[in-house]
Amino acid sequence: MAPQSDTEPEQAEPETKPSPPSPPSSQPLRFPPTEEASLLTQISHHKTLATTHYTSGDYSLALESYNEALAHCPEYRFFDVAVLKANVAACLVKLERWGEVEDVVGKCLEGLGREEGGDGEEVGGKSDEGDDKGSRAMEQSDEATDITNLTRPDTVKSSISEKHTTQDIERIRIKALLRRAKARTQLGGWAKLQGVDEDYATLLQIPTLCHADRRFAEAERRRIAPRLEEAKSREMAEMMGKLKELGNGILKPFGLSTDNFKMNKDESSGGYNMSFDQGGGKK
């Protein structure tokens, strides 16, 4: 008799479905308190070096030290990351690296939004409290922000659970917006100048904005308004010129050009009607 294994079919093992992957956590992993204390010590060291370099006018070395501090800062410490990025932006302003300022400030504002418990949107202040101290005027706004909430290891336990006030958040937001507005002003162009106007409009919505900064933001909005209109008109004309050139290239094989088509405004409705001119406007 043949062995049973040769004469009877093997029983198929029941199919097991793979368990679905766990959804990614929306919250970053947190370090144990001892590890976080060690990281804060390193951050404090790099921040001290950065402040020394910044004060002495060596903005490149200050930038390196602030970036080192950022590399050690846990990403869930949203406020501290935002403050460090605001300091990075201050160095970049001094180095006139305007495009990088815009990018860094965007991430800073996103972190402040997350600190407030939102989804990282760039929002203005929500406090009803007034504060005449506020930030300083724009000509002084590129001084590095002091990081007062990166504590020493002996007080790290209370720091981990510390909540930052609306006034703390708005103080950094004001500095960041002033720096980005300055960078966008230097970059120029329709889109950038529109961004400048939006940054100053956001600043003016923050209740804790001091009187000097409020006056500065209002004056800057008035000052850039003609530049914004000029840039808009120039870029619109350039765009229309390119579209006309493209249209002429398409119509040329048919013996036509964009001059054969006229847009006539209907004064009663405010809309436009297109008409065809066989002569292309030629008499």
Side-chain angles (χ1 to χ4, degrees), residues 185 189-190 193-194 196-197 218-235:
T185 301
W190 179 13
L193 292 175
Q194 183 65 48
V196 173
D197 186 68
E218 290 170 344
E220 282 297 287
R221 287 192 82 186
R222 291 192 297 269
R223 186 179 72 84
I224 68 162
R227 283 186 62 191
L228 176 57
E229 280 303 311
E230 179 187 357
K232 179 180 178 181
S233 299
R234 182 178 64 254
E235 292 183 28

Side-chain angles (χ1 to χ4, degrees), residues 209-258:
L209 187 69
C210 72
H211 181 64
D213 284 344
R214 187 171 296 278
R215 287 181 58 190
F216 178 83
E218 290 170 344
E220 282 297 287
R221 287 192 82 186
R222 291 192 297 269
R223 186 179 72 84
I224 68 162
R227 283 186 62 191
L228 176 57
E229 280 303 311
E230 179 187 357
K232 179 180 178 181
S233 299
R234 182 178 64 254
E235 292 183 28
M236 285 288 289
E238 290 173 357
M239 182 177 66
M240 294 303 295
K242 291 177 180 178
L243 287 173
K244 185 174 182 178
E245 183 179 346
L246 176 63
N248 286 335
I250 295 172
L251 294 169
K252 187 175 181 180
F254 303 98
L256 300 173
S257 75
T258 52

Side-chain angles (χ1 to χ4, degrees), residues 257-278:
S257 75
T258 52
D259 292 332
N260 293 111
F261 300 90
K262 303 295 181 185
M263 298 296 293
N264 304 307
K265 186 173 182 179
D266 184 346
E267 299 297 338
S268 60
S269 65
Y272 287 84
N273 298 314
M274 179 181 288
S275 62
F276 178 73
D277 181 0
Q278 181 66 47

Side-chain angles (χ1 to χ4, degrees), residues 79 83 112 131 134-135 145-149 164-178 206 208:
F79 181 81
V83 171
L112 293 176
D131 181 14
S135 88
T145 310
D146 288 335
I147 305 174
T148 57
N149 294 288
H164 301 283
T165 66
T166 299
Q167 186 172 331
D168 292 332
I169 294 170
E170 288 182 350
R171 176 174 57 86
I172 303 304
R173 179 176 283 125
I174 289 168
K175 290 174 180 287
L177 286 168
L178 284 169
I206 300 178
T208 55

Side-chain angles (χ1 to χ4, degrees), residues 12-272:
E13 295 190 8
E15 183 180 354
T16 58
K17 296 182 178 179
S19 54
S22 301
S25 173
S26 59
Q27 295 295 325
L29 295 175
R30 300 186 70 90
F31 290 99
T34 53
E35 288 187 39
E36 185 167 339
S38 176
L39 289 171
L40 293 179
T41 300
Q42 296 179 68
I43 294 167
S44 180
H45 168 70
H46 291 298
K47 177 262 176 183
T48 301
L49 286 177
T51 303
T52 301
H53 293 316
Y54 191 96
T55 304
S56 65
D58 197 334
Y59 305 117
S60 294
L61 284 178
L63 178 61
E64 289 181 15
S65 295
Y66 280 130
N67 280 327
E68 279 292 328
L70 267 172
H72 289 87
C73 192
E75 61 181 81
Y76 54 81
R77 294 183 68 90
F78 304 126
F79 181 81
D80 295 329
V81 170
V83 171
L84 285 166
K85 287 190 180 295
N87 289 352
V88 167
C91 296
L92 292 171
V93 166
K94 288 292 190 180
L95 295 169
E96 299 185 359
R97 289 159 60 173
W98 307 119
E100 293 174 72
V101 174
E102 187 177 27
D103 181 61
V104 169
V105 168
K107 294 174 182 176
C108 168
L109 296 174
E110 180 181 340
L112 293 176
R114 297 187 72 181
E115 176 68 20
E116 289 177 315
D119 56 4
E121 289 186 18
E122 296 181 18
V123 293
K126 301 177 183 177
S127 171
D128 292 330
E129 300 174 4
D131 181 14
D132 290 335
K133 294 180 181 179
S135 88
R136 285 166 288 180
M138 180 63 190
E139 59 270 18
Q140 297 174 299
S141 70
D142 54 3
E143 295 181 10
T145 310
D146 288 335
I147 305 174
T148 57
N149 294 288
L150 296 179
T151 59
R152 298 174 182 174
D154 57 328
T155 57
V156 70
K157 189 171 183 180
S158 61
S159 174
I160 290 174
S161 60
E162 181 181 352
K163 292 291 185 182
H164 301 283
T165 66
T166 299
Q167 186 172 331
D168 292 332
I169 294 170
E170 288 182 350
R171 176 174 57 86
I172 303 304
R173 179 176 283 125
I174 289 168
K175 290 174 180 287
L177 286 168
L178 284 169
R179 289 166 189 161
R180 186 170 70 178
K182 182 173 183 176
R184 285 174 164 175
T185 301
Q186 295 296 323
L187 289 168
W190 179 13
K192 300 302 182 186
L193 292 175
Q194 183 65 48
V196 173
D197 186 68
E198 291 169 0
D199 282 343
Y200 286 130
T202 301
L203 278 164
L204 292 170
Q205 293 173 7
I206 300 178
T208 55
L209 187 69
C210 72
H211 181 64
D213 284 344
R214 187 171 296 278
R215 287 181 58 190
F216 178 83
E218 290 170 344
E220 282 297 287
R221 287 192 82 186
R222 291 192 297 269
R223 186 179 72 84
I224 68 162
R227 283 186 62 191
L228 176 57
E229 280 303 311
E230 179 187 357
K232 179 180 178 181
S233 299
R234 182 178 64 254
E235 292 183 28
M236 285 288 289
E238 290 173 357
M239 182 177 66
M240 294 303 295
K242 291 177 180 178
L243 287 173
K244 185 174 182 178
E245 183 179 346
L246 176 63
N248 286 335
I250 295 172
L251 294 169
K252 187 175 181 180
F254 303 98
L256 300 173
S257 75
T258 52
D259 292 332
N260 293 111
F261 300 90
K262 303 295 181 185
M263 298 296 293
N264 304 307
K265 186 173 182 179
D266 184 346
E267 299 297 338
S268 60
S269 65
Y272 287 84

